[in-house]
Amino acid sequence: MNSTTINTNIVSKLGVFFFLLFISFYWTSAYPGLNIFFFKIKIPFNIVFFIISFGLSVVSIPLLDNPFSGLGFYMFSAMLFMAGVLLSNAFKYTGYKGIVEPFLYVFIPLSGFLLAGNQPALFMKKCIRAVWFNGIVMTCIGMFRLLVSGAPWMEIIDHQKVGFGSRNLDAYFILFGMISGIIMLSDIKRNGLKIFVMMTCFFNAIAIFFSFSRGMILSSMIVLLMLFFYYGLKTKFIMMIVLLILTFISIFSLSCSKTAQRAASISYERFMLITSSEQITKSGIHNSVPGRMKLIPLSFKAIINNPITGLGFGKFADFSKKNGIVVNDPHNNYLLVWVELGSIAFMGYLFMAALPVVIYFKVRNDINENSLNLALLLYVFTITFTSLFTNYVTYYGYWLLLSIIIPGNKISKPNLFEPYTEYNL
């Protein structure tokens, strides 16, 4: 028994360690990793950490008590989704990427669930800290490139040049870094540390504004409002003081950088066009909502033409071009899966997308700890909300975030308060 416990601890701890590296180094997602050895396979650098953690999670299965307890609904959804992927690829062959990438997505939450073991609360807390750290790193790199290097807008790397990622991808994870910082405030007692974490949240919000991503700007505004109404008067007062200080810093930074002034102007103009009529402005920015509404009937046209197999992975751009619209995807998770992978994969994805909401309403009354309750609320709300205007192909981070939520399905009063180490920042 003692040997089994030791083995379990070693394997699980190593697995969690590499899983946390996977999250913490998410900012390297624009950098290819495995092509160091296999030049034709361009896999993001941080995926290497996930592959190791997933292997360790599989090794730990025989050492865990009821390892799949609470995972049934997700496994059913994932198998349905993967069956749809295989069927779609069989009739609309799109190469190894059309199979490997969707399969990778569904294995990320599985790995997280297994590594959480019988301490889901501890695992979730560690992952939240890792997401917070990653958001800080991305913000620092992006703002340095904007203010010092003269990049046209906030992004951690020239994605068009390297062919990986996007500025929307950067903004997406900076947003969750901000959310994670907000969650951490619930556990922090010292005012100095609370002010520091709060400053990182506002810095993240500033970076999101400079990112040029309208959806993430809107999401960050909603989350900050949720923060303001959630916390007590003392935290609200500190929040307003920190915001005032950072406002002066932002004004000073803008006055010293013409690149930042241009980026701020473009971001503001782009955001204000979110519900505009279909016109091209002098800066070359088109509208948001009206244009995307046109993609809905186009998406259903594709679904009617290919209801079971879909268009094939990554084929929406070709279909839309044939119909006179130049766009890569429907800008909606649900429509994209349905259009490209077919109805079977869509049903599986729909079940998986509903799982976080189900978990939150299932366990919220069992959670007496503010940070975990807030974590589930904000994570579930934000990934559900952003899925309406983002796509799963770009944001494999969606599945990483899902992997932090689904261990919550294990939470119950007996195991919620397992001993854990408080934040050591």
Side-chain angles (χ1 to χ4, degrees), residues 24-25 27 128-138 177 180 184:
S24 299
F25 283 83
W27 60 272
I128 288 166
R129 278 176 275 170
V131 174
W132 170 74
F133 172 80
N134 174 76
I136 295 173
V137 174
M138 294 181 76
S180 299
M184 289 168 56

Side-chain angles (χ1 to χ4, degrees), residues 117-420:
N118 64 347
Q119 292 187 314
L122 174 59
F123 177 79
M124 291 170 70
K125 282 175 173 285
K126 287 181 176 180
C127 289
I128 288 166
R129 278 176 275 170
V131 174
W132 170 74
F133 172 80
N134 174 76
I136 295 173
V137 174
M138 294 181 76
T139 292
C140 291
I141 295 173
M143 294 300 283
F144 178 85
R145 292 191 72 244
L146 174 68
L147 298 174
V148 179
S149 303
W153 48 68
M154 202 299 301
E155 60 179 354
I156 64 169
I157 196 170
D158 187 341
H159 294 291
Q160 290 183 342
K161 184 177 181 180
V162 301
F164 277 85
S166 69
R167 52 183 168 73
N168 294 314
L169 175 65
D170 296 344
Y172 184 74
F173 241 77
I174 290 174
L175 169 64
F176 275 93
M178 182 188 79
I179 291 172
S180 299
I182 293 170
I183 293 164
M184 289 168 56
L185 292 176
S186 296
D187 279 344
I188 297 174
K189 305 301 180 185
R190 290 177 291 172
N191 285 339
L193 187 56
K194 183 173 287 192
I195 290 172
F196 171 73
V197 174
M198 196 174 292
M199 285 184 68
T200 67
C201 295
F202 283 121
F203 271 125
N204 287 345
I206 292 169
I208 292 168
F209 175 75
F210 282 115
S211 72
F212 210 64
S213 175
R214 290 163 291 187
M216 299 311 153
I217 293 172
L218 178 62
S219 299
S220 65
M221 291 168 61
I222 294 173
V223 169
L224 285 173
L225 281 174
M226 292 175 71
L227 162 68
F228 186 79
F229 288 109
Y230 179 84
Y231 285 107
L233 287 175
K234 182 180 177 181
T235 304
K236 287 177 182 177
F237 177 74
I238 296 174
M239 173 183 169
M240 296 304 295
I241 296 297
V242 172
L243 182 59
L244 182 63
I245 294 171
L246 289 181
T247 299
F248 283 115
I249 294 174
S250 301
I251 292 172
F252 176 77
S253 301
L254 280 170
S255 65
C256 297
S257 173
K258 290 184 178 180
T259 303
Q261 292 170 21
R262 179 176 178 275
S265 175
I266 292 176
S267 288
Y268 174 76
E269 182 182 4
R270 184 177 172 88
F271 182 76
M272 295 306 292
L273 288 170
I274 200 167
T275 58
S276 69
S277 58
E278 293 189 70
Q279 294 179 350
I280 303 296
T281 67
K282 59 183 179 182
S283 61
I285 304 166
H286 63 79
N287 65 302
S288 179
V289 174
R292 295 186 183 190
M293 292 296 289
K294 280 192 170 184
L295 298 178
I296 296 176
L298 180 64
S299 299
F300 278 104
K301 179 181 178 181
I303 292 166
I304 292 170
N305 291 343
N306 303 271
I308 305 300
T309 60
L311 295 172
F313 186 83
K315 296 297 183 181
F316 184 83
D318 296 336
F319 179 82
S320 62
K321 191 174 182 180
K322 290 178 182 177
N323 286 269
I325 300 177
V326 180
V327 65
N328 292 329
D329 55 76
H331 293 284
N332 181 299
N333 273 346
Y334 310 102
L335 285 178
L336 181 62
V337 174
W338 202 356
V339 165
E340 292 195 345
L341 299 178
S343 297
I344 296 175
F346 172 69
M347 289 303 298
Y349 178 78
L350 206 58
F351 290 145
M352 284 189 283
L355 183 57
V357 180
V358 172
I359 289 174
Y360 172 70
F361 283 102
K362 175 184 174 184
V363 304
R364 63 176 180 164
N365 292 328
D366 290 334
I367 301 178
N368 298 318
E369 199 169 346
N370 285 338
S371 62
L372 289 177
N373 216 324
L374 187 59
L376 283 173
L377 174 64
L378 290 182
Y379 269 57
V380 168
F381 167 79
T382 311
I383 65 170
T384 303
F385 179 69
T386 56
S387 292
L388 296 173
F389 48 81
T390 59
N391 64 84
Y392 85 103
V393 174
T394 301
Y395 302 126
Y396 77 86
Y398 170 88
W399 302 88
L400 193 159
L401 297 165
L402 185 63
S403 72
I404 301 173
I405 296 172
I406 66 169
N409 203 33
K410 297 182 180 183
I411 288 178
S412 61
K413 289 178 181 177
N415 68 11
L416 177 58
F417 299 105
E418 292 282 348
Y420 64 89

